Short mmCIF file of all heavy atoms in Angstrom, two decimals:
data_model
loop_
_atom_site.label_atom_id
_atom_site.label_comp_id
_atom_site.label_asym_id
_atom_site.label_seq_id
_atom_site.Cartn_x
_atom_site.Cartn_y
_atom_site.Cartn_z
N SER A 1 0.85 -1.24 0.00
CA SER A 1 0.00 0.00 0.00
C SER A 1 0.85 1.26 0.03
O SER A 1 0.40 2.38 -0.26
CB SER A 1 -0.93 0.00 1.20
OG SER A 1 -0.22 0.00 2.38
N ARG A 2 2.17 1.13 0.35
CA ARG A 2 2.99 2.34 0.30
C ARG A 2 3.43 2.70 -1.11
O ARG A 2 4.12 3.73 -1.30
CB ARG A 2 4.28 2.05 1.19
CG ARG A 2 3.93 2.00 2.68
CD ARG A 2 5.11 1.77 3.46
NE ARG A 2 4.79 1.63 4.93
CZ ARG A 2 4.69 2.66 5.77
NH1 ARG A 2 4.89 3.86 5.27
NH2 ARG A 2 4.47 2.47 6.99
N ASN A 3 3.32 1.81 -2.02
CA ASN A 3 3.69 2.03 -3.44
C ASN A 3 2.62 2.86 -4.15
O ASN A 3 1.46 2.38 -4.21
CB ASN A 3 3.97 0.70 -4.20
CG ASN A 3 4.63 0.95 -5.43
OD1 ASN A 3 4.45 1.94 -6.12
ND2 ASN A 3 5.42 -0.04 -5.93
N ASN A 4 2.87 3.97 -4.60
CA ASN A 4 1.85 4.90 -5.25
C ASN A 4 1.53 4.51 -6.60
O ASN A 4 0.59 5.01 -7.15
CB ASN A 4 2.35 6.36 -5.17
CG ASN A 4 2.41 6.97 -3.73
OD1 ASN A 4 1.60 6.47 -2.90
ND2 ASN A 4 3.23 7.88 -3.49
N GLU A 5 2.35 3.67 -7.25
CA GLU A 5 2.18 3.34 -8.64
C GLU A 5 1.13 2.20 -8.80
O GLU A 5 1.31 1.09 -8.28
CB GLU A 5 3.50 2.93 -9.26
CG GLU A 5 4.51 4.11 -9.38
CD GLU A 5 4.00 5.30 -10.20
OE1 GLU A 5 3.30 5.07 -11.16
OE2 GLU A 5 4.29 6.39 -9.88
N ASP A 6 0.07 2.40 -9.58
CA ASP A 6 -0.86 1.41 -9.97
C ASP A 6 -0.44 0.66 -11.23
O ASP A 6 0.32 1.23 -11.99
CB ASP A 6 -2.24 1.97 -10.17
CG ASP A 6 -2.91 2.49 -8.88
OD1 ASP A 6 -2.74 1.84 -7.86
OD2 ASP A 6 -3.53 3.58 -8.96
N ASP A 7 -0.80 -0.56 -11.33
CA ASP A 7 -0.56 -1.34 -12.62
C ASP A 7 -1.86 -1.17 -13.41
O ASP A 7 -3.00 -1.06 -12.95
CB ASP A 7 -0.31 -2.79 -12.32
CG ASP A 7 1.06 -2.99 -11.78
OD1 ASP A 7 2.01 -2.27 -12.13
OD2 ASP A 7 1.16 -3.90 -10.85
N ILE A 8 -1.69 -1.25 -14.71
CA ILE A 8 -2.77 -1.10 -15.71
C ILE A 8 -2.83 -2.31 -16.58
O ILE A 8 -1.84 -2.65 -17.27
CB ILE A 8 -2.64 0.17 -16.51
CG1 ILE A 8 -2.53 1.40 -15.67
CG2 ILE A 8 -3.91 0.29 -17.47
CD1 ILE A 8 -3.80 1.77 -14.89
N ALA A 9 -3.89 -3.03 -16.64
CA ALA A 9 -4.13 -4.12 -17.55
C ALA A 9 -5.10 -3.71 -18.62
O ALA A 9 -6.16 -3.04 -18.26
CB ALA A 9 -4.67 -5.34 -16.82
N GLU A 10 -4.90 -4.10 -19.84
CA GLU A 10 -5.76 -3.64 -20.95
C GLU A 10 -6.15 -4.84 -21.75
O GLU A 10 -5.31 -5.68 -22.07
CB GLU A 10 -4.92 -2.58 -21.78
CG GLU A 10 -5.77 -1.83 -22.78
CD GLU A 10 -4.98 -0.75 -23.46
OE1 GLU A 10 -3.82 -1.00 -23.85
OE2 GLU A 10 -5.51 0.39 -23.60
N ARG A 11 -7.44 -4.89 -22.23
CA ARG A 11 -7.94 -6.03 -22.94
C ARG A 11 -8.77 -5.48 -24.14
O ARG A 11 -9.70 -4.68 -23.93
CB ARG A 11 -8.72 -7.01 -22.10
CG ARG A 11 -9.10 -8.26 -22.76
CD ARG A 11 -9.64 -9.23 -21.83
NE ARG A 11 -9.75 -10.59 -22.35
CZ ARG A 11 -10.04 -11.73 -21.70
NH1 ARG A 11 -10.18 -11.66 -20.39
NH2 ARG A 11 -10.17 -12.89 -22.30
N PHE A 12 -8.45 -5.98 -25.33
CA PHE A 12 -9.26 -5.67 -26.54
C PHE A 12 -9.87 -6.96 -27.01
O PHE A 12 -9.20 -8.00 -27.17
CB PHE A 12 -8.32 -5.18 -27.66
CG PHE A 12 -7.60 -3.87 -27.36
CD1 PHE A 12 -6.50 -3.78 -26.55
CD2 PHE A 12 -8.11 -2.63 -27.88
CE1 PHE A 12 -5.82 -2.55 -26.30
CE2 PHE A 12 -7.41 -1.41 -27.60
CZ PHE A 12 -6.33 -1.39 -26.85
N ARG A 13 -11.10 -6.87 -27.44
CA ARG A 13 -11.85 -7.99 -28.06
C ARG A 13 -12.51 -7.27 -29.29
O ARG A 13 -13.59 -6.72 -29.21
CB ARG A 13 -12.84 -8.63 -27.14
CG ARG A 13 -12.20 -9.12 -25.85
CD ARG A 13 -13.17 -9.79 -24.90
NE ARG A 13 -13.60 -11.05 -25.27
CZ ARG A 13 -14.81 -11.47 -25.65
NH1 ARG A 13 -15.77 -10.64 -25.63
NH2 ARG A 13 -15.07 -12.77 -25.93
N ILE A 14 -11.92 -7.50 -30.45
CA ILE A 14 -12.31 -6.74 -31.65
C ILE A 14 -12.25 -7.57 -32.89
O ILE A 14 -11.35 -8.40 -33.11
CB ILE A 14 -11.33 -5.48 -31.71
CG1 ILE A 14 -11.48 -4.62 -30.56
CG2 ILE A 14 -11.50 -4.76 -33.06
CD1 ILE A 14 -10.63 -3.39 -30.54
N VAL A 15 -13.20 -7.29 -33.79
CA VAL A 15 -13.19 -7.94 -35.11
C VAL A 15 -12.09 -7.21 -36.00
O VAL A 15 -11.83 -6.04 -35.83
CB VAL A 15 -14.56 -7.82 -35.84
CG1 VAL A 15 -15.58 -8.65 -35.08
CG2 VAL A 15 -14.95 -6.37 -36.04
N GLU A 16 -11.44 -8.03 -36.79
CA GLU A 16 -10.42 -7.47 -37.78
C GLU A 16 -10.44 -8.41 -39.01
O GLU A 16 -10.95 -9.52 -38.98
CB GLU A 16 -9.08 -7.53 -37.11
CG GLU A 16 -8.43 -8.83 -36.84
CD GLU A 16 -7.05 -8.78 -36.35
OE1 GLU A 16 -6.42 -7.69 -36.31
OE2 GLU A 16 -6.51 -9.80 -36.04
N LEU A 17 -9.87 -7.87 -40.01
CA LEU A 17 -9.72 -8.68 -41.26
C LEU A 17 -8.38 -9.42 -41.18
O LEU A 17 -7.38 -8.80 -40.82
CB LEU A 17 -9.61 -7.74 -42.57
CG LEU A 17 -10.98 -7.08 -42.94
CD1 LEU A 17 -10.71 -6.22 -44.15
CD2 LEU A 17 -11.96 -8.16 -43.25
N ARG A 18 -8.39 -10.70 -41.37
CA ARG A 18 -7.21 -11.52 -41.26
C ARG A 18 -7.30 -12.69 -42.21
O ARG A 18 -8.22 -13.51 -42.10
CB ARG A 18 -6.99 -12.03 -39.85
CG ARG A 18 -5.69 -12.82 -39.65
CD ARG A 18 -5.34 -12.95 -38.21
NE ARG A 18 -4.92 -11.65 -37.66
CZ ARG A 18 -3.71 -11.17 -37.59
NH1 ARG A 18 -2.71 -11.85 -38.30
NH2 ARG A 18 -3.39 -9.95 -37.09
N LEU A 19 -6.39 -12.71 -43.16
CA LEU A 19 -6.39 -13.83 -44.16
C LEU A 19 -6.00 -15.11 -43.44
O LEU A 19 -5.26 -15.13 -42.49
CB LEU A 19 -5.34 -13.50 -45.21
CG LEU A 19 -5.62 -12.25 -46.05
CD1 LEU A 19 -4.51 -12.04 -47.10
CD2 LEU A 19 -6.99 -12.26 -46.65
N SER A 20 -6.49 -16.18 -44.01
CA SER A 20 -6.28 -17.48 -43.34
C SER A 20 -4.73 -17.81 -43.28
O SER A 20 -3.94 -17.65 -44.23
CB SER A 20 -6.91 -18.63 -44.20
OG SER A 20 -6.64 -19.92 -43.73
N GLY A 21 -4.26 -18.17 -42.06
CA GLY A 21 -2.93 -18.59 -41.81
C GLY A 21 -2.00 -17.39 -41.56
O GLY A 21 -0.75 -17.57 -41.33
N ASP A 22 -2.42 -16.15 -41.61
CA ASP A 22 -1.64 -14.99 -41.44
C ASP A 22 -1.27 -14.80 -39.92
O ASP A 22 -2.29 -14.68 -39.13
CB ASP A 22 -2.35 -13.78 -41.97
CG ASP A 22 -1.48 -12.52 -41.98
OD1 ASP A 22 -0.38 -12.59 -41.34
OD2 ASP A 22 -1.84 -11.47 -42.60
N GLN A 23 -0.03 -14.90 -39.60
CA GLN A 23 0.43 -14.82 -38.24
C GLN A 23 1.06 -13.45 -37.90
O GLN A 23 1.70 -13.23 -36.87
CB GLN A 23 1.42 -15.95 -37.91
CG GLN A 23 0.80 -17.22 -38.09
CD GLN A 23 -0.30 -17.58 -37.12
OE1 GLN A 23 -0.13 -17.40 -35.91
NE2 GLN A 23 -1.44 -17.95 -37.60
N GLN A 24 0.98 -12.46 -38.84
CA GLN A 24 1.66 -11.15 -38.64
C GLN A 24 0.84 -10.35 -37.57
O GLN A 24 -0.33 -10.45 -37.51
CB GLN A 24 1.63 -10.41 -39.97
CG GLN A 24 2.53 -11.09 -41.02
CD GLN A 24 3.88 -11.14 -40.74
OE1 GLN A 24 4.50 -10.21 -40.30
NE2 GLN A 24 4.57 -12.36 -40.87
N ALA A 25 1.68 -9.54 -36.82
CA ALA A 25 1.21 -8.51 -36.01
C ALA A 25 0.29 -9.07 -34.86
O ALA A 25 -0.49 -8.34 -34.23
CB ALA A 25 0.42 -7.45 -36.76
N LEU A 26 0.45 -10.29 -34.48
CA LEU A 26 -0.41 -10.83 -33.35
C LEU A 26 0.08 -10.34 -31.98
O LEU A 26 -0.69 -10.58 -31.01
CB LEU A 26 -0.34 -12.34 -33.37
CG LEU A 26 -1.05 -13.02 -34.63
CD1 LEU A 26 -0.98 -14.50 -34.59
CD2 LEU A 26 -2.61 -12.56 -34.63
N ASN A 27 1.26 -9.76 -31.92
CA ASN A 27 1.68 -9.08 -30.67
C ASN A 27 1.35 -7.68 -30.62
O ASN A 27 1.74 -6.95 -29.62
CB ASN A 27 3.22 -9.33 -30.53
CG ASN A 27 3.55 -10.76 -30.32
OD1 ASN A 27 2.83 -11.55 -29.70
ND2 ASN A 27 4.74 -11.13 -30.83
N LEU A 28 0.53 -7.18 -31.59
CA LEU A 28 0.14 -5.81 -31.55
C LEU A 28 -1.44 -5.71 -31.33
O LEU A 28 -2.14 -6.67 -31.62
CB LEU A 28 0.40 -5.13 -32.87
CG LEU A 28 1.91 -5.11 -33.28
CD1 LEU A 28 2.13 -4.50 -34.65
CD2 LEU A 28 2.72 -4.29 -32.28
N ARG A 29 -1.88 -4.62 -30.78
CA ARG A 29 -3.35 -4.48 -30.59
C ARG A 29 -4.09 -4.55 -31.95
O ARG A 29 -3.52 -4.13 -32.96
CB ARG A 29 -3.62 -3.05 -30.07
CG ARG A 29 -3.04 -2.71 -28.68
CD ARG A 29 -3.04 -1.27 -28.48
NE ARG A 29 -2.67 -0.84 -27.14
CZ ARG A 29 -2.37 0.35 -26.76
NH1 ARG A 29 -2.42 1.33 -27.65
NH2 ARG A 29 -2.12 0.69 -25.51
N PRO A 30 -5.32 -5.16 -31.88
CA PRO A 30 -6.06 -5.36 -33.14
C PRO A 30 -6.86 -4.06 -33.59
O PRO A 30 -8.02 -4.14 -33.99
CB PRO A 30 -7.03 -6.44 -32.74
CG PRO A 30 -7.26 -6.24 -31.35
CD PRO A 30 -5.96 -5.79 -30.74
N VAL A 31 -6.08 -2.94 -33.49
CA VAL A 31 -6.77 -1.67 -33.84
C VAL A 31 -5.83 -0.83 -34.66
O VAL A 31 -4.64 -0.98 -34.61
CB VAL A 31 -7.13 -0.89 -32.50
CG1 VAL A 31 -8.37 -1.51 -31.83
CG2 VAL A 31 -5.95 -0.77 -31.59
N ALA A 32 -6.41 0.14 -35.43
CA ALA A 32 -5.64 1.06 -36.16
C ALA A 32 -5.61 2.39 -35.34
O ALA A 32 -6.33 2.55 -34.38
CB ALA A 32 -6.23 1.33 -37.55
N GLU A 33 -4.70 3.36 -35.75
CA GLU A 33 -4.76 4.65 -35.08
C GLU A 33 -6.12 5.37 -35.43
O GLU A 33 -6.46 5.56 -36.58
CB GLU A 33 -3.65 5.52 -35.58
CG GLU A 33 -3.46 6.87 -34.87
CD GLU A 33 -2.33 7.61 -35.32
OE1 GLU A 33 -1.35 7.03 -35.98
OE2 GLU A 33 -2.21 8.81 -34.95
N GLY A 34 -6.80 5.73 -34.37
CA GLY A 34 -8.19 6.20 -34.58
C GLY A 34 -8.32 7.72 -34.26
O GLY A 34 -7.45 8.31 -33.69
N ASP A 35 -9.49 8.22 -34.64
CA ASP A 35 -9.77 9.64 -34.34
C ASP A 35 -11.32 9.72 -34.18
O ASP A 35 -12.12 9.30 -35.10
CB ASP A 35 -9.36 10.55 -35.53
CG ASP A 35 -9.51 12.11 -35.22
OD1 ASP A 35 -10.37 12.39 -34.38
OD2 ASP A 35 -8.73 12.81 -35.78
N ILE A 36 -11.76 10.16 -33.02
CA ILE A 36 -13.22 10.25 -32.76
C ILE A 36 -13.99 11.11 -33.75
O ILE A 36 -15.18 10.99 -33.88
CB ILE A 36 -13.62 10.52 -31.33
CG1 ILE A 36 -12.98 11.90 -30.98
CG2 ILE A 36 -13.04 9.49 -30.35
CD1 ILE A 36 -13.51 12.38 -29.62
N ARG A 37 -13.23 11.95 -34.43
CA ARG A 37 -13.96 12.83 -35.41
C ARG A 37 -14.48 12.00 -36.59
O ARG A 37 -15.35 12.50 -37.33
CB ARG A 37 -12.98 13.86 -36.00
CG ARG A 37 -12.73 15.04 -34.98
CD ARG A 37 -11.67 15.93 -35.39
NE ARG A 37 -10.33 15.35 -35.06
CZ ARG A 37 -9.28 16.03 -34.78
NH1 ARG A 37 -9.34 17.32 -34.73
NH2 ARG A 37 -8.11 15.43 -34.55
N THR A 38 -14.05 10.74 -36.73
CA THR A 38 -14.64 9.87 -37.79
C THR A 38 -16.06 9.64 -37.56
O THR A 38 -16.85 9.44 -38.44
CB THR A 38 -13.87 8.51 -37.75
OG1 THR A 38 -12.49 8.71 -37.77
CG2 THR A 38 -14.31 7.69 -38.95
N TRP A 39 -16.58 9.79 -36.26
CA TRP A 39 -17.96 9.61 -36.03
C TRP A 39 -18.84 10.68 -36.62
O TRP A 39 -20.05 10.64 -36.70
CB TRP A 39 -18.21 9.59 -34.48
CG TRP A 39 -17.77 8.32 -33.82
CD1 TRP A 39 -16.60 8.11 -33.11
CD2 TRP A 39 -18.44 7.06 -33.81
NE1 TRP A 39 -16.51 6.79 -32.57
CE2 TRP A 39 -17.70 6.17 -33.06
CE3 TRP A 39 -19.66 6.55 -34.32
CZ2 TRP A 39 -18.06 4.83 -32.78
CZ3 TRP A 39 -20.02 5.26 -34.17
CH2 TRP A 39 -19.26 4.41 -33.34
N ASN A 40 -18.21 11.81 -36.99
CA ASN A 40 -18.91 12.98 -37.56
C ASN A 40 -19.00 12.99 -39.04
O ASN A 40 -19.41 14.06 -39.59
CB ASN A 40 -18.31 14.26 -37.04
CG ASN A 40 -18.51 14.50 -35.55
OD1 ASN A 40 -19.48 14.11 -35.04
ND2 ASN A 40 -17.54 15.11 -34.90
N VAL A 41 -18.70 11.81 -39.73
CA VAL A 41 -18.73 11.82 -41.20
C VAL A 41 -20.24 12.12 -41.65
O VAL A 41 -21.15 11.52 -41.12
CB VAL A 41 -18.26 10.50 -41.75
CG1 VAL A 41 -19.08 9.32 -41.22
CG2 VAL A 41 -18.26 10.62 -43.20
N ASN A 42 -20.37 13.13 -42.52
CA ASN A 42 -21.69 13.54 -42.88
C ASN A 42 -22.19 12.92 -44.19
O ASN A 42 -23.36 12.88 -44.50
CB ASN A 42 -21.72 15.04 -43.01
CG ASN A 42 -21.62 15.75 -41.71
OD1 ASN A 42 -22.26 15.37 -40.73
ND2 ASN A 42 -20.82 16.81 -41.56
N ASP A 43 -21.21 12.47 -44.97
CA ASP A 43 -21.61 11.94 -46.31
C ASP A 43 -21.05 10.41 -46.40
O ASP A 43 -19.98 10.16 -45.91
CB ASP A 43 -21.01 12.68 -47.53
CG ASP A 43 -21.59 14.15 -47.46
OD1 ASP A 43 -22.82 14.23 -47.37
OD2 ASP A 43 -20.78 15.09 -47.53
N THR A 44 -21.78 9.56 -47.03
CA THR A 44 -21.39 8.21 -47.20
C THR A 44 -20.08 8.20 -48.12
O THR A 44 -20.10 8.82 -49.19
CB THR A 44 -22.44 7.39 -47.92
OG1 THR A 44 -23.65 7.43 -47.11
CG2 THR A 44 -22.06 5.94 -48.07
N LEU A 45 -19.08 7.54 -47.61
CA LEU A 45 -17.85 7.46 -48.37
C LEU A 45 -17.93 6.45 -49.49
O LEU A 45 -18.76 5.59 -49.49
CB LEU A 45 -16.67 7.07 -47.45
CG LEU A 45 -16.42 7.93 -46.27
CD1 LEU A 45 -15.34 7.37 -45.37
CD2 LEU A 45 -16.05 9.47 -46.64
N ASP A 46 -17.03 6.66 -50.55
CA ASP A 46 -17.10 5.69 -51.60
C ASP A 46 -16.61 4.34 -51.10
O ASP A 46 -15.60 4.27 -50.30
CB ASP A 46 -16.14 6.18 -52.73
CG ASP A 46 -16.65 7.42 -53.41
OD1 ASP A 46 -17.94 7.55 -53.45
OD2 ASP A 46 -15.87 8.16 -53.96
#
């Protein structure tokens, strides 16, 4: 209790595109760099 530093555990459960047998980037989070401004898209993208 004298240690002021907390530990942080993080868990992602996310759908992603992955070709069969592809073992790349499995030690990385299953997310891309995001921006919440994407939620404000006003027109349907191509």
